[in-house]
Amino acid sequence: MSARIRPDLESIPAYAPGRSRPGAVKLASNESTPGPLPTVAKAIAEAAELANRYPDNMASELRAAVAEFHGVDVANVAIGCGSVALCQELVQITCAAATDEVLFAWRSFEAYPIVTQVGNARAVQVPLTEEFAHDLDAMAAAVTEHTKLIFVCNPNNPTGTAYGRADLERFLDAVPEHVLVVLDEAYYEYLRLPDDHPNGVEMGRGRSNVLVLRTFSKAYGLAGLRVGYAVGAPEVITALLKVHIPFSVNRLAQAAAIASLEAREELLDRTEHVAAERDRMRAALLDAGYVVPRSEANFVWLPLGERSAEFGEASAEAGIIVRPYGVDGVRVTAGDPHENDLFLAFATAPETTARFLG
């Protein structure tokens, strides 16, 4: 007789990362192309010398650095093994019954339905608008007495669309104060909205039911070390600390994140080049006849519907790995210029446009 496992786990899909293929250009995982800065690499090396010792379970130094960066108290900051770990912990601290609901747009970050089901809660998915953005009015209307948690991914992964501060604040005003709203800002550093800039930390000041997620995986280039953070009300942070897996944010990750914050101006300068490449890719794809919503992240979205998987395979055959999403679309990371050129050469070739746009 085998061990008894939760039967509902059979219906939960495992998280699927972007594929890799030896020799291929990988534009599937929204990673930062440049490696860590020398000062960050040095901090990692120094931390590795103490790998025989457990890391600081409270990540006290990193919490203090994040708190200083955002002008909040340490009690307002929690650290996680990537922001996705914090997503799962947020379900744990808000949902206790199978009738409890977690609300989010769809399509959005693919981890949301997974962490919801793992937490024995019910996922409520609200379709995106025709412009591939969150339907904030419909999301507000979908709140019920069972709603415990709302995820708002801004900019949205995988479509890249984003809302400004005014729209988000109207949405926050419409949500009951007992419902926790999570502004997932994993791609915040790539936002280039000219007006009405949506800084979730600023919007959350004075709103005890708003929590912001940020990550060091994208703009800070530490995807391989897995470290993210939450900024929110002290009572929410305290609850997160209670369900935190002990020592899950390793010593190297903490040291690298601290060093990255110290070098943030140099690191964030890199996002200017990424945003420029993103916009260049979008312009070329629009000229070729694709529908491409404006992106505020480090990728572009091609809503190819049922042709998405086929496009992904064709791109892989051409040596470029992209990320198809079911029958919704394909996400393409903005990489180095020569990598983007290879993708654009494939995507805009007459035979490709005839096949997928004809």
Side-chain angles (χ1 to χ4, degrees):
M1 179 179 293
S2 60
R4 293 182 179 178
I5 306 297
R6 281 174 47 184
D8 66 309
L9 290 181
E10 293 184 3
S11 65
I12 300 178
Y15 179 87
R19 296 186 302 166
S20 296
R21 179 180 295 183
V25 170
K26 185 183 179 185
L27 300 178
S29 297
N30 299 342
E31 298 153 325
S32 172
T33 305
L37 294 173
T39 55
V40 178
K42 180 181 178 182
I44 294 171
E46 291 175 351
E49 295 178 0
L50 294 173
N52 58 312
R53 302 296 186 185
Y54 284 110
D56 176 5
N57 186 49
M58 297 296 291
S60 302
E61 189 177 354
L62 177 54
R63 289 178 71 196
V66 170
E68 181 180 6
F69 174 48
H70 287 293
V72 299
D73 293 333
V74 172
N76 295 108
V77 178
I79 308 297
C81 185
S83 57
V84 67
L86 290 162
C87 287
Q88 184 158 321
E89 292 167 2
L90 286 162
V91 176
Q92 288 180 283
I93 68 170
T94 55
C95 299
T99 55
D100 289 342
E101 296 175 348
V102 178
L103 177 66
F104 50 88
W106 197 251
R107 181 174 286 267
S108 192
F109 183 33
E110 64 268 32
Y112 296 156
I114 297 173
V115 299
T116 299
Q117 194 169 349
V118 168
N120 279 319
R122 177 173 176 265
V124 177
Q125 300 179 359
V126 178
L128 299 174
T129 67
E130 293 182 357
E131 290 75 36
F132 312 103
H134 283 58
D135 190 334
L136 295 177
D137 290 338
M139 290 179 69
V143 174
T144 72
E145 61 183 293
H146 300 294
T147 306
K148 305 297 182 183
L149 179 65
I150 302 174
F151 285 113
V152 178
C153 192
N154 195 64
N156 186 43
N157 177 18
T159 64
T161 53
Y163 279 102
R165 178 166 185 157
D167 287 323
L168 288 171
E169 288 189 331
R170 278 193 294 271
F171 172 73
L172 295 175
D173 289 340
V175 175
E177 293 183 357
H178 66 273
V179 176
L180 182 61
V181 181
V182 176
L183 300 178
D184 186 346
E185 297 184 338
Y187 298 91
Y188 174 81
E189 291 83 5
Y190 301 102
L191 272 162
R192 294 298 183 272
L193 292 176
D195 302 304
D196 200 25
H197 195 75
N199 184 327
V201 175
E202 296 304 318
M203 286 185 282
R205 296 186 193 276
R207 296 177 186 267
S208 61
N209 69 324
V210 173
L211 180 134
V212 177
L213 293 178
R214 299 272 180 94
T215 183
F216 287 94
S217 294
K218 309 302 180 184
Y220 290 93
L222 300 181
L225 289 180
R226 311 305 305 124
V227 56
Y229 63 89
V231 179
E235 58 269 25
V236 179
I237 298 301
T238 298
L240 283 173
L241 296 177
K242 290 180 178 180
V243 299
H244 172 75
I245 297 175
F247 307 115
S248 58
V249 183
N250 69 69
R251 179 181 294 277
L252 276 65
Q254 293 184 40
I258 293 167
S260 294
L261 275 179
E262 292 173 350
R264 58 183 173 270
E265 291 185 5
E266 185 175 355
L267 283 167
L268 296 181
D269 277 346
R270 294 177 174 182
T271 64
E272 295 294 339
H273 303 289
V274 175
E277 281 298 295
R278 170 198 73 198
D279 294 343
R280 181 176 74 90
M281 293 171 70
R282 178 174 184 255
L285 292 165
L286 288 172
D287 287 344
Y290 291 90
V291 173
V292 191
R294 174 175 171 171
S295 174
E296 294 292 338
N298 66 337
F299 54 82
V300 294
W301 174 250
L302 305 178
L304 293 172
E306 295 182 355
R307 309 299 299 276
S308 300
E310 183 184 355
F311 183 93
E313 289 301 322
S315 182
E317 290 172 6
I320 308 103
I321 308 298
V322 296
R323 184 72 180 270
Y325 283 81
V327 296
D328 292 323
V330 176
R331 191 189 69 192
V332 186
T333 304
D336 286 339
H338 74 278
E339 296 175 325
N340 302 333
D341 287 341
L342 288 172
F343 170 73
L344 291 174
F346 156 75
T348 63
E351 59 270 24
T352 305
T353 56
R355 179 178 175 182
F356 293 100
L357 301 179

